[in-house]
Amino acid sequence: MPYEPPTHTVERSLRATTGAKIVVGIDEVGRGAWAGPVSVCAAITGLRRPPDGLTDSKLLTPKRRTELCKVLADWVTSYALGHSSPEEIDALGMTAALRLAAVRALEALPVRPDAVILDGKHDYLGAPWRVRTVIKGDQSCIAVAAASVIAKVRRDAMMAELGLGYADFDFAANAGYPSPTHRTALEQYGPTPYHRVSWSYMDALPRWQHLKKVRVTPEAAALEAGGQLGFDF
């Protein structure tokens, strides 16, 4: 299906209205997975013309994503990845875990950005970062699109490596997201050390209920009650 290529429009707007010189695009992957980390990529691209075919990683085939990621690694000005572990997701909730991963990515960059373009409508990053949220930013903003491709390819590779000891879960194919194979393995073997065991999918596993964790922090409970954790089952 044809799609409009991403542009530097939002970045140019931020530069003009805020005086920002270094603008970074941020995207996450793994929010709705049942296993593995949530991963965030922060990418700085400047205002150069992007590689052909750059768009939201979800619109690309796995082969094309991998090819494009190799090109982007050399094309971007700089990028960095940050992760929050399943244990951190269980303890903090998804919103706080996303912020932790994003801050880790931002702080790993060789320069501190003046402004951030964040994919989506919710600012899970907050102060002291100057943030512009953009719905479908991974399709419309070049820096965010670059971040989406790098984040997806790198996390998929990470999940394939983690799955080497858990072949029945087929993490190389599903990247920790629910699939028929993943569900069947969970029912038979229970969660691995890489599963988020505070999540509601555990309620459908009566044999493994004793392994479920309950998040008890007031902040996490309030976020979950308000539907702000963004679980994507």
Side-chain angles (χ1 to χ4, degrees), residues 8 25 42 45 56 58 64 71 77 92 106 120 129 199 211 222 226:
H8 289 300
T45 65
D56 172 14
K58 295 186 291 295
R64 181 57 183 144
V71 174
T77 303
L92 301 173
L106 287 166
W129 306 95
W199 284 32
L211 298 178

Side-chain angles (χ1 to χ4, degrees), residues 36-231:
V38 62
S39 301
V40 171
C41 181
I44 299 172
T45 65
L47 298 176
R48 291 171 297 145
R49 180 178 175 178
D52 290 340
L54 177 63
T55 187
D56 172 14
S57 64
K58 295 186 291 295
L59 300 178
L60 301 170
T61 65
K63 179 181 178 181
R64 181 57 183 144
R65 277 198 303 265
T66 300
E67 293 171 347
L68 195 53
C69 183
K70 293 177 182 178
V71 174
L72 288 170
D74 293 324
W75 175 80
V76 298
T77 303
S78 59
Y79 76 92
L81 289 153
H83 311 279
S84 284
S85 69
E87 293 84 1
E88 289 169 330
I89 295 169
D90 284 333
L92 301 173
M94 183 52 74
T95 300
L98 273 172
R99 184 178 193 280
L100 182 61
V103 169
R104 286 169 172 166
L106 287 166
E107 292 183 343
L109 290 168
V111 294
R112 184 179 177 88
D114 301 310
V116 176
I117 304 173
L118 187 63
D119 181 55
K121 62 181 179 179
H122 298 299
D123 178 8
Y124 57 76
L125 190 54
W129 306 95
R130 178 185 291 165
V131 177
R132 174 81 60 87
T133 57
V134 179
I135 296 174
K136 294 187 177 180
D138 46 11
Q139 295 183 34
S140 62
C141 302
I142 287 172
V144 180
S148 79
V149 172
I150 295 171
K152 173 64 175 169
V153 172
R154 294 299 172 83
R155 184 182 181 277
D156 281 359
M158 183 186 304
M159 290 305 299
E161 185 173 348
L162 292 179
L164 291 177
Y166 300 92
D168 293 294
F169 288 84
D170 201 15
F171 288 159
N174 59 51
Y177 285 83
S179 69
T181 300
H182 190 169
R183 292 172 187 268
T184 298
L186 269 171
E187 292 171 0
Q188 184 170 357
Y189 302 109
T192 71
Y194 306 119
H195 277 87
R196 306 166 186 182
V197 290
S198 65
W199 284 32
S200 61
Y201 73 84
M202 289 290 293
D203 295 334
L205 301 171
R207 181 180 173 188
W208 308 103
Q209 277 297 292
H210 62 289
L211 298 178
K212 184 175 181 180
K213 292 183 180 178
V214 178
R215 196 179 310 117
V216 296
T217 62
E219 296 84 357
L223 286 170
E224 190 162 15
Q228 299 177 46
L229 292 187
F231 291 169

